[in-house]
Amino acid sequence: MGHQVFLFAWTVIALLASCSSLVSADVVEHSFHVQNRTITRLCRRQVITAVNGSLPGPTIRVNEGDTLVVHVFNLSPYNLTIHWHGVFQLLSGWADGPEFATQCPIRPGHSYTYKFKVTGQEGTLWWHAHVSWLRATVHGALIIRPKKGHSYPFPKPYREVPILLGEWWNANVVDVENEGLASGAAPNNSDAYTINGWPGDLYPCSVNQTYKLTVKYGKTYLLRIINAALNNQLFFKIANHKMKVVAVDAAYTDPYITDVVITGPGQTSDILLTADQTPASYYMTANPYASAAGVPFDNTTTRGIIMYEGAISSTPIMPILPAFNDTPTAHKFFTNLTGLVTGPFWNPPPRKVDEHMFITIGLGLTACNGRPGNATCAGPNGQRFAASMNNASFQFPDNISMLEAFFYNVGGIYTTDFPDQPPLKFDYTNPNNSNNANIIMTTKSTKVKKIKFNATVEIVFQNTALIGIENHPIHLHGFNFYVLAQGFGNYNPAVDRKKFNLLNPQERNTIGVPVGGWAVIRFRANNPGVWLMHCHLDVHLPWGLATSFVVENGPTPSTKLPPPPPDLPKC
């Protein structure tokens, strides 16, 4: 009898444990209705494309380990895909989203369901359109909290608040991009920056279009800052308050106290803000970090208001803003971040490297197809702007996605000859080479880098001074990478390899390669498929500042890319 009671009790315990493991992960389901709507900003009514009628779009909240299902109904007049920026997409590359990289677009009037598991990461990511410039208004936060029963590696905040920094045009953004592509010159700059969709009271007709956050004295808030701007890196400040950075790009960091946060397009920063100042009103601001000398940009400032609960109404206190070209402040922020080795998903960077790559990045020109000086060749020297990596200016296919070509072994879509080194060595960051006719021209191609499964890749990104020299935010799909070192000038392995941080480097999915400088990253290619790597300045992606990694299948069924969903959009 005692033996039977023991067996019964053990069975109950086992069942409870099994049920506990089953309920610890949920299926989180959303519907995105993407369509045009008219909103008012900066004294005028403007048609935008938005998700569920809101700007920004809906915030998605999941726990680590959950499965996310999003039904996208494209009711807009444009082709559409959604990219889940920073999500690893382990064995779910079909859901990554970039047009003609992992899928064909969702045509107007059609729908598609994204389904993938969010695993091995916590923190702030975001989702956005990955077709044309639609991500200017088609974007939102993707927040990954710890698995149920787990906690943050810092004290639980009183409240969590997404802060999305964006850009606004007094025009249809698709038309703005198309006009630039048609002319071969740079598209028009934005007219304003925004905080959670609102431009703030420094802009015309915007006193009542200012984001406001009410806080309680003594409480700590987790601000999840997302740079959703298309073409500008941004400084973020809060008057009289310090901020504690605890994560970037959904990877925990050693706590870093600062009075300014800088984010490039695509990057995120989780900060703890303690409301410990005299109860009053304080401005939060975002203004541009524009590192390219002599290049026009939107030199304006957006601001919101932090109001202490119960404070007497008063004019908000304004922070001292960094200069638009304050590279030392930007570099200090980026290089002072380190990884939290006690964090839940920390793994030390691999020491053995299988693939060494040295990649030059920057602007250039491509030959004008018409008569020089005509309306389609408005770039320098009567040519068209182009951008490249190792002098290969990337061109997407338009009849099948690269991932489908990989899976079905379809030839003629891409070539696997992306160079590990630039074809020509020169004084990369010397401004005298800005218009050097011998090195400034590039050509269009669809060259990718093929990598064996589980290989370790190390990349030195070398900025160049061609056309103009600036900080380039480079985003890698499908992986986090370790930032081993960053610096200025031409990379010198004899000296700069000694600067590598192999102990606690920060992890990111998007890195700002310093203006006139270099950065070294390392990652393990443990996810089969086709993964885009590109500049996250949207003005540069259609110009060709991109390539892709084709990661081969692994040796076992659990390391091979599964077949595509049956409803994957067709070209």
Side-chain angles (χ1 to χ4, degrees):
M1 179 69 178
H3 179 66
Q4 291 175 329
V5 170
F6 173 80
L7 284 177
F8 176 76
W10 179 253
T11 302
V12 169
I13 291 171
L15 285 172
L16 288 173
S18 174
C19 290
S20 175
S21 65
L22 289 174
V23 299
S24 64
D26 294 330
V27 174
V28 178
E29 198 162 1
H30 287 262
S31 291
F32 282 6
H33 294 85
V34 188
Q35 59 193 108
N36 284 0
R37 61 160 298 192
T38 301
I39 66 174
T40 301
R41 295 288 188 276
L42 308 187
C43 313
R44 59 180 288 164
R45 289 167 63 80
Q46 179 63 51
V47 176
I48 67 168
T49 305
V51 175
N52 296 352
S54 66
L55 177 68
T59 295
I60 292 178
R61 294 177 174 85
V62 297
N63 293 97
E64 192 275 325
D66 286 351
T67 295
L68 180 60
V69 178
V70 181
H71 309 285
V72 178
F73 301 91
N74 185 9
L75 308 176
S76 81
Y78 309 111
N79 290 341
L80 177 74
T81 67
I82 301 294
H83 171 50
W84 315 94
H85 187 111
V87 174
F88 293 153
Q89 299 292 0
L90 291 170
L91 298 178
S92 57
W94 301 106
D96 191 45
E99 182 188 35
F100 296 120
T102 60
Q103 69 169 96
C104 294
I106 307 169
R107 304 295 183 184
H110 292 254
S111 64
Y112 179 60
T113 295
Y114 292 92
K115 181 178 181 180
F116 53 91
K117 188 173 182 179
V118 180
T119 184
Q121 52 191 154
E122 297 171 3
T124 303
L125 296 174
W126 63 303
W127 56 266
H128 61 80
H130 213 292
V131 173
S132 184
W133 277 22
L134 286 178
R135 77 173 174 90
T137 54
V138 178
H139 63 252
L142 172 53
I143 295 171
I144 310 169
R145 293 194 176 107
K147 186 175 295 186
K148 293 175 182 177
H150 296 240
S151 60
Y152 297 122
F154 48 80
K156 184 179 179 181
Y158 176 72
R159 185 182 167 199
E160 302 179 15
V161 184
I163 302 289
L164 286 91
L165 310 178
E167 276 185 279
W168 176 265
W169 276 261
N170 283 329
N172 182 307
V173 292
V174 175
D175 292 342
V176 172
E177 182 194 24
N178 288 339
E179 288 164 6
L181 292 175
S183 71
N188 291 338
N189 290 317
S190 57
D191 295 290
Y193 301 108
T194 59
I195 297 176
N196 286 345
W198 300 109
D201 55 12
L202 286 176
Y203 296 101
C205 306
S206 299
V207 171
N208 295 323
Q209 296 191 342
T210 301
Y211 174 71
K212 297 178 181 179
L213 172 63
T214 302
V215 299
K216 289 186 177 183
Y217 180 82
K219 299 295 185 181
T220 297
Y221 295 78
L222 176 59
L223 302 187
R224 299 179 177 272
I225 302 170
I226 299 167
N227 187 336
L230 258 65
N231 295 316
N232 283 279
Q233 301 174 86
L234 296 166
F235 293 109
F236 178 83
K237 294 196 74 172
I238 301 173
N240 292 11
H241 288 74
K242 295 287 188 181
M243 298 173 282
K244 183 185 291 184
V245 181
V246 293
V248 293
D249 292 1
Y252 291 117
T253 63
D254 286 317
Y256 173 59
I257 296 175
T258 178
D259 67 347
V260 60
V261 169
I262 180 163
T263 61
Q267 292 183 325
T268 70
S269 293
D270 289 359
I271 67 163
L272 295 177
L273 172 73
T274 299
D276 57 3
Q277 297 300 299
T278 302
S281 293
Y282 301 84
Y283 278 119
M284 65 173 81
T285 60
N287 65 302
Y289 167 48
S291 58
V295 176
F297 64 98
D298 178 1
N299 192 10
T300 63
T301 299
T302 179
R303 60 187 187 183
I305 300 173
I306 289 183
M307 303 179 298
Y308 277 67
E309 192 175 275
I312 299 174
S313 179
S314 61
T315 301
I317 299 169
M318 183 71 177
I320 299 173
L321 301 180
F324 71 86
N325 58 353
D326 191 350
T327 292
T329 291
H331 190 65
K332 177 183 177 183
F333 177 83
F334 285 135
T335 55
N336 277 352
L337 298 173
T338 51
L340 184 66
V341 299
T342 57
F345 302 108
W346 172 262
N347 285 301
R351 298 300 181 103
K352 178 180 176 293
V353 176
D354 303 298
E355 297 277 358
H356 289 271
M357 303 181 72
F358 184 95
I359 299 179
T360 54
I361 58 176
L363 300 184
L365 300 173
T366 188
C368 180
N369 293 325
R371 181 167 53 86
N374 71 13
T376 65
C377 302
N381 305 331
Q383 307 292 350
R384 297 177 61 84
F385 273 121
S388 66
M389 293 184 174
N390 280 351
N391 205 40
S393 187
F394 195 79
Q395 182 168 289
F396 287 91
D398 59 8
N399 58 343
I400 186 176
S401 75
M402 292 188 291
L403 188 59
E404 288 177 279
F406 164 74
F407 186 84
Y408 293 113
N409 198 28
V410 178
I413 305 301
Y414 56 78
T415 60
T416 57
D417 56 345
F418 181 84
D420 290 343
Q421 303 287 328
L424 179 68
K425 294 184 179 180
F426 59 98
D427 190 358
Y428 304 113
T429 56
N430 187 339
N432 292 330
N433 280 321
S434 178
N435 287 291
N436 187 332
N438 295 320
I439 57 178
I440 202 172
M441 300 302 293
T442 183
T443 56
K444 295 291 183 179
S445 60
T446 311
K447 296 181 179 180
V448 306
K449 170 69 175 179
K450 197 172 185 179
I451 302 174
K452 292 189 179 300
F453 176 80
N454 222 31
T456 296
V457 182
E458 181 179 291
I459 302 174
V460 178
F461 290 116
Q462 176 65 63
N463 224 322
T464 64
L466 302 182
I467 300 293
I469 191 165
E470 64 180 315
N471 185 298
H472 289 285
I474 303 297
H475 171 47
L476 175 62
H477 290 227
F479 305 95
N480 273 2
F481 50 76
Y482 299 94
V483 181
L484 301 187
Q486 305 173 65
F488 295 101
N490 296 331
Y491 175 74
N492 181 348
V495 175
D496 295 328
R497 290 192 72 84
K498 298 175 183 177
K499 304 173 185 176
F500 283 13
N501 178 2
L502 295 170
L503 181 65
N504 63 342
Q506 60 178 291
E507 290 184 76
R508 278 199 175 272
N509 61 59
T510 306
I511 183 172
V513 181
V515 54
W518 51 269
V520 183
I521 69 168
R522 190 179 291 181
F523 69 97
R524 190 182 300 280
N526 57 2
N527 195 8
V530 176
W531 304 105
L532 191 62
M533 182 175 72
H534 64 98
C535 181
H536 221 266
L537 299 175
D538 264 25
V539 68
H540 290 166
L541 179 55
W543 285 351
L545 193 51
T547 187
S548 287
F549 291 102
V550 174
V551 180
E552 296 178 346
N553 281 309
T556 63
S558 63
T559 57
K560 296 182 186 295
L561 180 71
D567 60 339
L568 189 72
K570 304 299 181 184
C571 291

